[in-house]
Amino acid sequence: MAAANPGIATRRRRPVARAVEGQELALIIVLAALWLILSISTDTFLTSSNLSNLLYSVAPIAIIGIGMTAVIVTGGIDVSVGSGAAVVMVVVAKAIRDSGLPLAPALALGLAVGLVLGVINGVLVAYGGIHPIIVTFGTLNLYRFLALRLFENKQVTGVPDTFSVLGGGKSGETLGVPNAWWLALVLAAVMWSYMRYWATGRHWYALGNDAAAARLAGIRVKSRTIAAYALTGLFVGLAGIVLIGSGGLVQQNAGTGLELRVIAAVVIGGTSILGGRGSVLGTLLGALLVGTVTSAITLLGWRSELTELFIGVFILVAVGVDLVRERRRRAR
Amino acid sequence: MMRSKRATGVVVAGIAGALLVSGCSKKADDTATSGSTASGSSSQAVSVAFVPKLQGIPYFEAMNTGGQEAATDLGLKWIYKGSTTADPGAQTDIVKSLIQQKVSALFVAPNDPDSMAPVLGDAKAKGIHIATSDTDAPNSDREVFVNQATAEGIGQAISDALLEKMGGKGKLAIVSCGQTAANLNSWIDVEKKYIAQKYPDAQIVSTVYAGEDEAKAVSMAKDLMNAHPDLTGLIGECTSSAPGVAKAVREAGKIGKVFTVGLGTPQAMKPYLTDGSSSAAILWDVQKLGYLTAWAGKQLADGGSLAPDAKLKAKVPDATYDDATKVLLLGPALRITTENVDQFQY
């Protein structure tokens, strides 16, 4: 994979103040190459309906990924997002179907539910003193239990198209691009500048590099930690609404495995799983790469399970590159 | 510092691995067991347990309703217990726990027929009558398979319903679910052969697998429509991809251009049948399948014959038993359209 040489790219490109990190540059090149090849080899990839479908299916992963990037940068992880999305989806789907809740309050409800779940994660991580993967593994099961209880052994059918403006149909597009993807872009842009230029945003990196030193430097470690998880929860709320989209059916298995797809996008995007390094731009690119491969395999008529193969390879390459870079840094 | 960070990394990686494995085996012990009738405690009451592929979807809940109905009619204890994910490992655990409970007859709709066979063997060794319902485990020692419909019945009904709309010609694609699901694969085989034979001007251009994930089925169906702009038909092979392909057609604005038929449950398909994004849903009377399963369990436990008796015929008139293959058949497939969809509560 072309992602194998970002270390060299980084060193050469240092003068550019690293607006684009090495791994991001490599991803851009891989993506561009992939899109070029697909555009030439098929006459169906570069069509507006295909790109629209691709961007819509990637949007929820990208949106949660933006929050997940912050969490992983602090040295944490949140594996509960899939179950969290299920809770949001069942609560909101039932509210718009049974009480006819209109768009704005339903959106607020989804965000509020997501935020609450995120804050619970954040507080448990900040004050529990237990590794975040254990904490959120616990809440992954708790939230799934909660969701199943709310489903009451039935899937939610006949969900109205309240959120069709964020859905996968024509009414959810602006300039041929799904609104859900525009939303992901705007959120990513805001988050990118926040994590880059705001002091409180930089604190997340400090936390991930060395929490003890960060505390000595006067960073409010606990509140910054809670903020990262709460933000992720908020994004989970938003993603849940995008997943409901134009309505129809919400199944009990909603969101199952979503956490792994999100973490894959973040890791492929070059964010270090050890914390302290990464950016939402990379996550966006990682999500796009995963989405492109998934869609391309159907377009080319290849066997569906090849998707897993490619994603697995991407993750291993990305993590491998990260570890090599870490080792080099230590050797210096 | 670096050292401790690395150690953390190793821990994280290890736990993430464990998570991957265990994340797929969440069980729902919370609901389940809905025993009815027969005063409960007496050890003589026949208990019939049914383990669905997964719990909570309307399909298996409707089977449960039928089973409970039979429990009241026939005087048996009906136990319904499944996992919340269609995961072979989680299902095996549930079957093992039911073996411990010493039920009289144990029916399974196996997620993975081959890995279920030895577990059923253990149950048989403990004196439990073993059988399959909804999905067979051909390599097991099961005493009967309660079959909702023959593969031919389903595959042909789906093909005919779709090709009628497509005018007997054109390109179509199949969105299936689990790649290893034996019944889905047998229907796909029938569809391929039957369409090739009866509709020579029609062509199946692709078969894809979306898992039991509706959102993925929607996305893949759109990919298929993009990959084949002249596609006019889509088959949704299971209860999550049937509404999935219909939703894809609706969202792509191709109602009337691309027709879909799927194996779907009535209430989930109703909105799509109404707006025309789905032409028909093929199914069978799921509630009666549950009834038939419970009846067969009682017959096995009592040592009775599996040939339908008068009492069963009153509820399930089309049931037939084939002694050579040990298959108890519910009857022909059912076509659900806007006209009859409201007759079904699930």
Side-chain angles (χ1 to χ4, degrees):
Chain A
M1 299 293 120
N5 56 9
I8 302 158
T10 314
R11 222 176 288 163
R12 276 201 209 124
R13 296 189 60 86
R14 191 158 295 158
V16 200
R18 301 232 205 119
V20 174
E21 295 266 346
Q23 192 143 340
E24 291 162 3
L25 190 71
L27 269 175
I28 291 174
I29 294 169
V30 172
L31 261 175
L34 204 58
W35 281 41
L36 193 69
I37 293 169
L38 286 167
S39 307
I40 294 169
S41 62
T42 72
D43 50 0
T44 49
F45 180 78
L46 207 64
T47 56
S48 67
S49 58
N50 180 54
L51 294 181
S52 165
N53 181 33
L54 195 164
L55 294 176
Y56 172 70
S57 59
V58 166
I61 295 168
I63 290 172
I64 301 177
I66 295 166
M68 185 72 82
T69 308
V71 166
I72 293 182
V73 159
T74 68
I77 196 161
D78 184 350
V79 298
S80 76
V81 294
S83 298
V87 174
V88 170
M89 286 171 77
V90 64
V91 169
V92 175
K94 284 198 166 184
I96 59 177
R97 185 192 63 178
D98 301 340
S99 337
L101 212 59
L103 179 65
L107 188 65
L109 175 68
L111 294 179
V113 171
L115 183 63
V116 169
L117 299 179
V119 168
I120 293 174
N121 280 334
V123 169
L124 288 175
V125 169
Y127 291 94
I130 306 167
H131 194 283
I133 201 168
I134 304 291
V135 172
T136 54
F137 187 28
T139 54
L140 170 135
N141 286 284
L142 291 177
Y143 295 168
R144 180 61 61 179
F145 166 79
L146 183 63
L148 290 171
R149 272 286 127 131
L150 293 169
F151 271 111
E152 292 169 327
N153 262 332
K154 281 195 206 85
Q155 51 189 13
V156 187
T157 56
V159 180
D161 61 353
T162 312
F163 297 119
S164 63
V165 68
L166 287 174
K170 283 271 174 279
S171 53
E173 288 179 4
T174 306
L175 305 174
V177 173
N179 294 331
W181 179 253
W182 286 121
L183 197 62
L185 281 185
V186 170
L187 291 174
V190 171
M191 195 65 170
W192 185 82
S193 24
Y194 175 73
M195 288 177 74
R196 202 172 161 80
Y197 298 115
W198 261 260
T200 43
R202 300 303 303 171
H203 289 172
W204 279 334
Y205 291 95
L207 231 77
N209 273 318
D210 192 334
R215 187 176 297 113
L216 292 175
I219 293 173
R220 288 179 301 153
V221 172
K222 286 194 166 61
S223 80
R224 295 314 299 151
T225 303
I226 294 173
Y229 287 89
L231 200 65
T232 303
L234 203 61
F235 289 146
V236 166
L238 197 56
I241 282 166
V242 171
L243 286 168
I244 293 175
S246 64
L249 184 67
V250 175
Q251 295 176 285
Q252 280 95 331
N253 63 5
T256 310
L258 186 61
E259 60 279 354
L260 296 175
R261 271 172 280 162
V262 171
I263 294 167
V266 175
V267 170
I268 291 172
T271 295
S272 170
I273 200 77
L274 302 171
R277 202 172 48 245
S279 92
V280 291
L281 175 62
T283 300
L284 222 52
L285 294 167
L288 268 182
L289 183 59
V290 171
T292 303
V293 169
T294 311
S295 150
I297 280 170
T298 315
L299 283 181
L300 295 170
W302 292 359
R303 302 180 65 85
S304 308
E305 67 264 28
L306 283 174
T307 313
E308 274 77 24
L309 173 73
F310 281 114
I311 293 174
V313 169
F314 290 152
I315 292 176
L316 290 179
V317 169
V319 172
V321 166
D322 182 48
L323 288 180
V324 168
R325 206 160 33 172
E326 182 77 41
R327 211 163 289 159
R328 266 199 212 147
R329 244 172 35 153
R330 282 196 302 151
R332 222 175 278 151
Chain B
M1 181 53 219
M2 275 310 158
R3 177 163 305 202
S4 82
K5 239 172 100 176
R6 254 180 77 114
T8 314
V10 173
V11 172
V12 169
I15 295 170
L19 185 70
L20 270 172
V21 177
S22 62
C24 319
S25 54
K26 296 180 290 287
K27 271 162 295 189
D29 295 323
D30 47 297
T31 30
T33 56
S34 38
S36 338
T37 71
S39 67
S41 62
S42 85
S43 59
Q44 290 181 333
V46 168
S47 56
V48 179
F50 173 57
V51 182
K53 283 185 184 174
L54 74 165
Q55 187 166 319
I57 64 169
Y59 177 86
F60 286 115
E61 296 306 314
M63 267 186 86
N64 184 28
T65 310
Q68 285 170 344
E69 194 188 334
T72 318
D73 284 2
L74 309 172
L76 56 91
K77 185 167 182 255
W78 172 254
I79 299 168
Y80 171 75
K81 197 166 187 174
S83 142
T84 54
T85 52
D87 168 40
Q91 195 180 33
T92 306
D93 291 345
I94 289 173
V95 170
K96 282 180 180 161
S97 83
L98 288 168
I99 296 174
Q100 292 303 319
Q101 288 179 34
K102 286 264 164 75
V103 294
S104 324
L106 177 59
F107 286 76
V108 183
N111 283 307
D112 178 9
D114 290 332
S115 70
M116 186 53 71
V119 187
L120 289 177
D122 292 348
K124 194 181 182 186
K126 294 220 164 68
I128 296 170
H129 293 282
I130 52 167
T132 51
S133 183
D134 174 76
T135 304
D136 198 10
N139 297 331
S140 70
D141 284 342
R142 52 103 176 136
E143 293 168 58
V144 63
F145 166 45
V146 183
N147 192 359
Q148 57 272 48
T150 57
E152 284 71 27
I154 297 290
Q156 294 178 3
I158 290 179
S159 307
D160 285 336
L162 183 60
L163 269 300
E164 264 173 37
K165 282 283 175 184
M166 292 169 61
K169 60 182 184 347
K171 288 186 180 174
L172 65 141
I174 299 173
V175 180
S176 188
C177 304
Q179 209 153 349
T180 54
N183 54 350
L184 304 192
N185 288 338
S186 69
W187 302 337
I188 293 173
D189 283 344
V190 171
E191 285 154 11
K192 284 181 175 167
K193 280 188 202 122
Y194 182 70
I195 288 175
Q197 203 177 50
K198 187 170 171 191
Y199 303 98
D201 293 334
Q203 184 197 355
I204 299 177
V205 290
S206 190
T207 305
V208 298
Y209 301 88
E212 304 277 337
D213 182 345
E214 193 226 7
K216 199 171 174 195
V218 174
S219 174
M220 288 184 122
K222 287 187 189 168
D223 282 339
L224 287 169
M225 287 188 274
N226 290 325
H228 308 279
D230 50 351
L231 196 78
T232 51
L234 278 167
I235 293 175
E237 204 68 65
C238 78
T239 53
S240 61
S241 72
V245 296
K247 186 174 177 180
V249 167
R250 173 199 280 181
E251 287 194 344
K254 293 197 169 174
I255 294 175
K257 296 191 191 92
V258 179
F259 301 98
T260 76
V261 168
L263 189 111
T265 46
Q267 286 306 313
M269 294 306 294
K270 193 180 162 186
Y272 303 109
L273 291 169
T274 311
D275 74 7
S277 51
S278 173
S279 305
I282 302 298
L283 200 67
W284 45 89
D285 196 321
V286 185
Q287 219 159 305
K288 283 184 183 159
L289 181 64
Y291 194 99
L292 189 61
T293 301
W295 175 84
K298 179 152 171 63
Q299 296 303 108
L300 285 179
D302 292 347
S305 159
L306 285 167
D309 55 20
K311 208 169 176 183
L312 179 70
K313 286 277 186 194
K315 284 274 185 192
V316 193
D318 295 326
T320 51
Y321 180 65
D322 179 26
D323 198 39
T325 53
K326 296 195 190 311
V327 171
L328 185 58
L329 180 66
L330 178 68
L334 189 70
R335 188 189 287 196
I336 299 159
T337 61
T338 43
E339 279 154 34
N340 60 355
V341 65
D342 285 320
Q343 295 169 17
F344 304 94
Q345 298 307 308
Y346 49 90

